[in-house]
């Protein structure tokens, strides 16, 4: 893009480790002499870098549709300012093809098939100096054949205008363009020219014998820029607009082939919307009632479990209490028995002491009588 517009666009190189495809849009104001161009470049960051590439095209399609939707919303306003509206619709898709020399990848075919009804596709063989001239010619024929056999419609430069019919017809035969890009200038002869230097020689970007860069620039910027914008508006946007309005219930004529009434359509769609709203409201109410019943059943079940647990704990407590009472009674009986034995032992001890004292007195008395 820097080479194509002979400028330096700001931006950091994107990494190839993105989890998905992300679209990065940047708008620039370009000035050259008295010409002013507002250019928007959208990069598909991460496209083709994932292991599973099945849905890689979806973010691109969604982005293009979002720009169509924004324009449609502006167009449907009561007070429109389309003359000053920044048209963000994509007018051209430069689809870069790897210079493999073999055939298109399945990802390329699927993506271009999904995009050909939404944007003007211009296929480009990138880094075309990576393969020889003979291989490049065969590769172009192979790509064209695969596009036709798979029903992919690429942008064809218009030939209905006599002033550009000859050059556009010639350029259509050169599609897809094989290009090389470089911002480095190398001195060739007495001139400084954009080129790429290799040990085996120099590839000039603007030399038509080396690549198709000049053809691409001529067709894209100088000859067919207005046609690209017109194709976007009259073909791709109109298709989106028609499908969107039909989806909303609008038609050109009613079943009786009479002009379609906007008021009747509005009322019909309003009634349909209200009916769907009431249906959803009833479904939500039924769902709410069902969930309340389920919650009540869960609470009752939990309450029942708590009661059962309480009864088990109560019974266990009663059993433990009875065991403790039985043990206390047993201990009380042992204490009473011990007290009785103790009383009996003390009584016997007292009787024994009394009997011993009587014998002592008797012996002393006998001793006195002897003296």
């Amino acid at each position: 893009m820097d080479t194509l517009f002979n400028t330096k666009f700001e931006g950091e190189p994107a990494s190839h480790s993105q989890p998905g495809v992300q679209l990065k849009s940047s708008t620039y104001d370009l000035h050259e002499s008295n010409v002013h161009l507002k250019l928007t470049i959208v990069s598909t960051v991460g496209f083709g870098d994932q292991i599973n590439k099945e849905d890689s095209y979806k973010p691109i399609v969604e982005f293009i549709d979002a720009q169509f939707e924004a324009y449609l919303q502006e167009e449907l306003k009561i007070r429109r300012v389309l003359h000053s509206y920044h048209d963000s619709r994509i007018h051209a898709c430069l689809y870069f093809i790897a210079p493999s020399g073999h055939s298109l990848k399945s990802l390329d075919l699927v993506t271009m098939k999904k995009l050909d009804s939404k944007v003007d596709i211009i296929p480009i063989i990138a880094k075309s100096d990576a393969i020889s001239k003979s291989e490049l010619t065969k590769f172009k024929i192979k790509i064209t054949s695969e596009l036709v056999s798979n029903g992919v419609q690429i942008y064809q430069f218009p030939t209905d205008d006599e002033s550009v019919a000859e050059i556009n017809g010639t350029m259509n035969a050169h599609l897809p363009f094989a290009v090389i890009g470089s911002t480095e200038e190398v001195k060739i002869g007495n001139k400084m020219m954009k080129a790429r230097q290799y040990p085996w020689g120099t590839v000039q970007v603007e030399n038509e014998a080396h690549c198709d860069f000049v053809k691409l620039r001529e067709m894209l910027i100088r000859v067919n820029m207005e046609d690209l914008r017109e194709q976007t508006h009259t073909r791709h946007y109109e298709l989106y607009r028609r499908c969107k309005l039909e989806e909303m219930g609008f038609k050109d004529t009613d079943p009786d082939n009479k002009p379609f009434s906007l008021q009747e359509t509005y009322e019909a769609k309003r009634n349909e919307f209200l009916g769907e709203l009431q249906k959803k409201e009833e479904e939500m109410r039924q769902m709410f009632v069902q969930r309340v019943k389920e919650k009540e059943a869960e609470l009752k079940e939990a309450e029942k479990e708590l009661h059962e647990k309480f009864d088990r704990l109560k019974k266990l407590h009663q059993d433990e209490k009875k065991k403790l009472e039985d043990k206390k009674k047993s201990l009380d009986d042992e204490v009473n028995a011990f007290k009785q034995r103790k009383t009996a032992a003390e009584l016997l001890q007292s009787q024994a002491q009394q009997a011993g004292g009587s014998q002592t007195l008797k012996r002393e008395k006998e001793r006195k009588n002897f003296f």
Side-chain angles (χ1 to χ4, degrees), residues 278-294:
Q278 289 177 355
K279 184 179 178 182
K280 288 182 179 180
E281 188 177 332
E282 181 63 22
E283 289 176 355
M284 291 180 66
R285 191 184 69 79
Q286 293 291 342
M287 188 182 296
F288 176 75
V289 171
Q290 181 65 25
R291 288 186 178 180
V292 168
K293 288 181 179 179
E294 291 174 357

Side-chain angles (χ1 to χ4, degrees), residues 19 24 84 106 113 177 198 205 217 221 229 252 257 289:
K24 183 180 178 183
S84 61
S106 57
K113 184 62 180 174
F177 291 136
Y198 296 99
V205 172
R217 183 177 61 191
I221 300 176
R229 296 177 64 180
D252 292 331
N257 289 325
V289 171

Side-chain angles (χ1 to χ4, degrees), residues 196-223:
R196 298 182 72 89
Q197 282 189 315
Y198 296 99
W200 45 263
T202 303
V203 180
Q204 300 174 32
V205 172
E206 297 180 332
N207 188 334
E208 293 191 48
H210 292 181
C211 71
D212 297 330
F213 176 80
V214 173
K215 296 182 179 69
L216 172 64
R217 183 177 61 191
E218 190 77 12
M219 292 296 98
L220 185 65
I221 300 176
R222 297 177 182 171
V223 179

